[in-house]
Amino acid sequence: FWFPDQTICSLTFCRQLASKLAEEGVEFIHGEEVTSTFASGSNPRAAVLQMASGKKVEAEAIVLAAGVGTGRLLSKLSPTGAPPVPLYGMRGHSCTVDVTHMVQQQQQQQQRQ
């Protein structure tokens, strides 16, 4: 145990993160299968995702969260042949986030009280 470490509920963290990202304009697309990707003709920084439903989505950034299948899926969808993603299966989950700025803020607040 290290004093600044704290345990959080990963479900609560993910819900709050998704809420904050949505406030910032991020669009989440659930229940859709991406069948292909191609370069956008109107935006050189964007890609277009072709969905199985026929819907096309243009995006400058894409988060592919398919667990250990991410590398296989990325190499299938990438128009240029993406490098391998070094993910492997294991039991449990972990996320490391640098929160030193939060600890410093908390200490400053405590000093003021």
Side-chain angles (χ1 to χ4, degrees), residues 25-38:
V26 172
E27 178 184 0
F28 294 90
I29 301 172
H30 300 280
E32 287 273 11
E33 178 185 352
V34 177
T35 57
S36 64
T37 62
F38 52 92

Side-chain angles (χ1 to χ4, degrees), residues 2 7 10 21-22 39 44 59 75 79-80 99:
W2 187 56
T7 301
S10 58
L21 291 171
S75 65
T80 59
V99 294

Side-chain angles (χ1 to χ4, degrees), residues 22-90:
E23 288 174 14
E24 297 293 325
V26 172
E27 178 184 0
F28 294 90
I29 301 172
H30 300 280
E32 287 273 11
E33 178 185 352
V34 177
T35 57
S36 64
T37 62
F38 52 92
S40 169
S42 60
N43 183 348
R45 294 180 43 180
V48 176
L49 304 176
Q50 176 67 55
M51 306 295 183
S53 65
K55 180 179 179 180
K56 292 180 182 175
V57 178
E58 183 174 285
E60 289 188 8
I62 302 164
V63 175
L64 180 60
V68 296
T70 299
R72 183 175 31 82
L73 187 57
L74 186 59
S75 65
K76 175 184 167 190
L77 294 174
S78 174
T80 59
V85 178
L87 293 177
Y88 54 90
M90 63 183 286

